Amino acid sequence: MLSKSLTIVNQRYQAIKDGEDVIQGLTQTSKSLPPKYFYDDRGSELFEQICELPEYYPTRTEAWILSQYADEIAQITGGCELVELGSGSSTKTRILLDAYQKNAGDCRYVPIDVSGGMLATTVRQLQQTYPDFSIAGLQGTYEQALSHLKLQPWSSRMICFLGSSFGNFTRQESDGFLSKIARALKSGDYFLLGVDLQKPKEILLPAYNDSQGVTAAFNLNMLSHLNWRFQGDFDIKLFKHEAIYNQADGQIEMYLHCQKSHWVSLEMLDLQVFFEVGESILTEVSRKFDLGIMQKQLEVQGLKTVKIWTDPQQWFGLILCQA
């Protein structure tokens, strides 16, 4: 009986520890939640759907850049351990893996994602497609993964952070993230970073307010994720999705707006929160970048730019750096 009680106490302690960022975000005057809570298995599926939307330009634009320049990237780095943060279904990464198969002949691929279900499925598929490559997934957040990376048996390592997720960090958070990247590399190793570039809001806004409502479902699913993870009782119908463009700060901001005053409980966090009608939760900031400024930020962290590739419209950029 005592052992069972201790297990329950320990589970609650661990939940509170894991959910400290939720407690902090929902008890502030201006409520917010970290974007990592988008990505349970359902959230990851919805994001894959977002990537196929006609309004969502980042995925297809970055895929075009990779299709044009993956061979060049593989030739520059040679055979290496390729570690990808936030790998999802690794759809775009297959372009890189094909290039390494053709140009380098050897590669070890380590996809990293918080969604265990999607990660397991992706690894099985990739092992069948690339039987000559060593492929092993690692489930966890970026921070957990970077701290668990071991010294590689390969001559070099390349950490990839594709997509536009780098824009979810504040400037201070992005400096800390790049510092962790630099510590996970030895001299001569590589870092491949995808960044969404500044462009007119007429292009940006539809990408985050799509006509099919998939982004809205993705945003609202964050509350469902909190419900199952922390035994919560968010009523999804009482919140509405909106994305705006903050021109002064050069960033998209995604919100969930409360439609009716009510209380929400998250039992595992021992937390009760009151929402006023009209009150909002900031769920994501997506900064858009200038390549010159980005290069300087990378160089401060000891990551020197080797080459930059963009699309003809300069909507998106891929930056290859070397430690």
Side-chain angles (χ1 to χ4, degrees), residues 7 59 73 77 99 101 111 148 216 226 267 304:
T7 301
T59 301
I73 293 169
T77 67
Q101 194 170 50
H148 280 83
L226 295 183
E267 186 177 340
K304 184 178 179 180

Side-chain angles (χ1 to χ4, degrees), residues 42-53:
R42 175 58 178 158
S44 295
E45 291 171 1
L46 285 167
F47 185 71
E48 293 296 317
Q49 293 177 34
I50 288 172
C51 293
E52 299 295 324
L53 294 170

Side-chain angles (χ1 to χ4, degrees), residues 33 35 47 93 112 119 121 124 150 205 264 298:
L33 287 167
F47 185 71
T93 318
I112 294 166
L119 185 64
T121 299
R124 283 196 299 269
K150 295 178 173 60
L205 278 174
V264 169
L298 287 161

Side-chain angles (χ1 to χ4, degrees), residues 27-199:
T27 54
Q28 298 175 135
T29 303
S30 297
K31 293 180 172 62
S32 66
L33 287 167
K36 72 179 186 182
Y37 290 107
F38 284 134
Y39 298 103
D40 60 353
D41 287 350
R42 175 58 178 158
S44 295
E45 291 171 1
L46 285 167
F47 185 71
E48 293 296 317
Q49 293 177 34
I50 288 172
C51 293
E52 299 295 324
L53 294 170
E55 299 97 329
Y56 195 74
Y57 63 85
T59 301
R60 64 175 179 271
T61 307
E62 187 179 37
W64 182 90
I65 297 170
L66 284 168
S67 70
Q68 298 298 307
Y69 302 109
D71 285 351
E72 188 176 352
I73 293 169
Q75 288 163 7
I76 291 172
T77 67
C80 64
E81 180 188 60
L82 197 163
V83 178
E84 183 178 10
L85 302 176
S87 56
S89 62
S90 301
T91 303
K92 288 176 294 187
T93 318
R94 293 166 205 251
I95 303 172
L96 272 177
L97 293 175
D98 288 343
Y100 277 97
Q101 194 170 50
K102 180 170 64 174
N103 295 279
D106 204 4
C107 178
R108 170 179 163 82
Y109 179 48
V110 183
I112 294 166
D113 205 90
V114 294
S115 173
M118 178 164 287
L119 185 64
T121 299
T122 299
V123 167
R124 283 196 299 269
Q125 292 173 348
L126 291 173
Q127 286 171 337
Q128 294 175 356
T129 307
Y130 304 96
D132 295 332
F133 286 178
S134 171
I135 299 172
L138 182 59
Q139 184 181 358
T141 63
Y142 307 144
E143 293 81 4
Q144 290 169 338
L146 289 171
S147 65
H148 280 83
L149 286 179
K150 295 178 173 60
L151 292 175
Q152 73 273 29
W154 298 79
S155 57
S156 67
R157 165 182 287 165
M158 180 170 73
I159 296 178
C160 296
F161 195 34
L162 303 176
S164 54
S165 295
F166 185 75
N168 298 153
F169 298 128
T170 65
R171 175 55 194 259
Q172 183 178 4
E173 288 170 342
S174 65
D175 281 337
F177 172 78
L178 293 175
S179 177
K180 290 183 176 72
I181 292 288
R183 289 199 296 271
L185 302 174
K186 68 178 189 299
S187 180
D189 283 350
Y190 295 92
F191 176 47
L192 183 65
L193 175 65
V195 288
D196 198 6
L197 305 179
Q198 289 287 350
K199 60 186 66 64

Side-chain angles (χ1 to χ4, degrees), residues 180-253:
K180 290 183 176 72
I181 292 288
R183 289 199 296 271
L185 302 174
K186 68 178 189 299
S187 180
D189 283 350
Y190 295 92
F191 176 47
L192 183 65
L193 175 65
V195 288
D196 198 6
L197 305 179
Q198 289 287 350
K199 60 186 66 64
K201 68 178 181 181
E202 291 76 19
I203 299 167
L204 288 168
L205 278 174
Y208 296 85
N209 291 292
D210 67 274
S211 58
Q212 298 178 46
V214 182
T215 310
F218 174 70
N219 199 8
L220 288 162
N221 183 71
M222 180 182 281
L223 303 183
S224 297
H225 183 181
L226 295 183
N227 279 348
W228 72 256
R229 182 175 291 275
F230 300 115
Q231 294 183 14
D233 59 1
F234 274 105
D235 185 341
I236 312 304
K237 297 188 295 294
L238 298 183
F239 291 86
K240 185 178 180 181
H241 158 81
E242 185 187 28
I244 65 168
Y245 180 58
N246 181 333
Q247 192 154 357
D249 293 332
Q251 62 190 31
I252 288 285
E253 296 170 4

